[in-house]
Amino acid sequence: MTGGLPPHPGLVGGPVYLDYNATTPVDPRVAEAIHPYLADWFGNPSSSHPYAAAPKRALARARAQVAALIGADGGEIVFTGSGSEADNLALRGAALAAKNELPHVITQVTEHPAILETCRALERLHGTEVTYLPVDGDGLVDPAALAAALTERTVLVSVMAANNETGALQPIAELARMTRAHGALFHCDAAQAVGKVPLDVRELGVDLLTVVGHKMYAPKGIAALYVRQGLALEPLVYGGGQEHGLRAGTENVALAVALGTAAELAAAELADGTPGRIAALRDCLHRRLADALPGRVHLNGPSTGRLPNTLNVSIDGVLGRELLSAGLGLAASTGSACHSGTHTPSPVLTAMGVDADRALGALRLSLGRWSTPENIETAVTALLKAAGAL
């Protein structure tokens, strides 16, 4: 049992899963909530006959559930097909709706590719000027750097809530306050943070915020963008006017229900102390490795001010990919990317000033709802055995 839950059927008999930041298993309670909207309640929620009634109610309830998790109103939630789509809608929508002839956008160098590639497309296709802020050794943006980068043409700033590799939590409220005082909009990709730490869009002062289903125990293919009431964006998908006119296409009611159910479950976990349980397991994993390999285990990112589930460490003298390919019975991620057989250091760790050898040795170990003390014991034993052999 994990926090009162039975074992997840998708994890039984498999390797220890420590890659929750990549994706989460679908919670069986979420899967159960979806079923009626696949099997029975099939109607188009935009229709006016009785078959539309249940889907229409379900869609409204799902919006309210997602909104409640982040302190928004249901009418401010726009469902999308992915976090990348939500990010595209936020950035492209804000930049193209701006009245500035030459709009200026600000982001930072360790953002998700969905942000960075959208910025590059805006530069290439629309002549938008983009400033990419650096980060410090903990992966954090300096508010003074943002203040210096803001201009009279700045229309949007986009900074993620939490880094997917290190878990570093950015000072969003401060950055958003500066941005809005300057007259620009603020977008936050909160894909990794929603459900893991408390977030309230009013307290943060953001105009746009991305929520992603498969990072919080819903299926892939569903996400949402919070759009502050009264905000004008250029639509990403044109058509019949669904999703407040911002994302045309008949809504996927089943997946919206999945995201709403996942949001309600996440809210309950935030209230019952689950993040603290997971943080204790994470810290136990780190401590056990550091005690067994004195002086060889290095934390990448901040020791505090990070997600409760994320541990990014490098072990001297060992490559991360070699550790994970050593038959550990462990599913996790490394700090490197493979391109045509050549491994390169993580751009995130590189931007933080981590040297290449340490970056190539990095492991991202991310815990979640079904992580147990037994998982941690198994992972520690396997990692120490592999590190000794290598």
Side-chain angles (χ1 to χ4, degrees), residues 93-116:
L96 297 189
K99 295 180 171 57
N100 304 44
E101 187 174 334
L102 293 172
H104 174 228
V105 171
I106 301 173
T107 187
Q108 51 103 18
V109 292
T110 61
E111 286 291 318
H112 189 276
I115 297 294
L116 297 176

Side-chain angles (χ1 to χ4, degrees), residues 31-345:
E32 183 180 4
I34 295 173
H35 183 72
Y37 301 93
L38 297 174
D40 302 314
W41 298 326
F42 64 89
N44 187 325
S46 296
S47 297
S48 56
H49 50 65
Y51 286 101
K56 188 178 297 185
R57 286 195 300 270
L59 205 55
R61 181 167 187 263
R63 276 190 223 284
Q65 289 169 312
V66 174
L69 179 61
I70 60 172
D73 294 327
E76 297 173 306
I77 301 301
V78 175
F79 290 120
T80 66
S82 67
S84 294
E85 184 189 333
D87 287 346
N88 272 255
L89 174 57
L91 270 66
R92 180 184 176 277
L96 297 189
K99 295 180 171 57
N100 304 44
E101 187 174 334
L102 293 172
H104 174 228
V105 171
I106 301 173
T107 187
Q108 51 103 18
V109 292
T110 61
E111 286 291 318
H112 189 276
I115 297 294
L116 297 176
E117 292 304 318
T118 302
C119 285
R120 291 176 186 126
L122 287 170
E123 290 177 298
R124 186 175 68 252
L125 300 176
H126 301 285
T128 305
E129 181 187 351
V130 181
T131 297
Y132 301 88
L133 300 176
V135 295
D136 63 17
D138 283 335
L140 301 178
V141 171
D142 182 354
L146 173 60
L150 289 163
T151 75
E152 61 182 14
R153 293 187 294 105
T154 304
V155 297
L156 178 73
V157 175
S158 181
V159 177
M160 60 174 27
N163 186 265
N164 54 299
E165 292 190 30
T166 67
L169 296 169
Q170 297 284 359
I172 296 301
E174 183 177 3
L175 299 175
R177 184 169 58 252
M178 294 170 56
T179 299
R180 295 183 68 180
H182 200 80
L185 301 176
F186 192 94
H187 167 251
C188 178
D189 181 342
Q192 292 291 346
V194 171
K196 297 173 186 171
V197 294
L199 289 177
D200 186 297
V201 293
R202 311 294 184 209
E203 292 178 3
L204 292 174
V206 300
D207 301 285
L208 300 150
L209 184 134
T210 296
V211 178
V212 179
H214 80 100
K215 306 296 188 184
M216 49 186 286
Y217 309 97
K220 300 163 188 67
I222 184 67
L225 180 68
Y226 157 74
V227 181
R228 180 175 54 78
Q229 189 171 7
L231 192 62
L233 298 178
E234 181 68 19
L236 190 62
V237 181
Y238 305 98
Q242 292 90 346
E243 297 304 304
H244 314 304
L246 295 177
R247 203 258 189 176
T250 302
E251 299 92 344
N252 191 324
V253 176
L255 288 185
V257 167
L259 184 58
T261 304
E264 192 169 271
L265 294 173
E269 284 193 336
L270 287 170
D272 73 12
T274 293
R277 178 187 72 82
I278 292 174
L281 291 176
R282 176 204 65 189
D283 293 343
C284 176
L285 175 58
H286 186 191
R287 185 171 60 253
R288 291 287 307 282
L289 290 174
D291 288 348
L293 299 169
R296 291 181 61 194
V297 178
H298 306 283
L299 178 67
N300 299 314
S303 57
T304 60
R306 61 181 157 131
L307 293 174
N309 78 315
T310 305
L311 176 65
N312 190 306
V313 292
S314 298
I315 300 175
D316 285 344
V318 183
L319 295 178
R321 60 185 171 84
E322 290 181 347
L323 274 176
L324 294 185
S325 63
L328 299 179
L330 176 64
S333 294
T334 70
S336 64
C338 182
H339 304 283
S340 302
T342 301
H343 291 265
T344 57

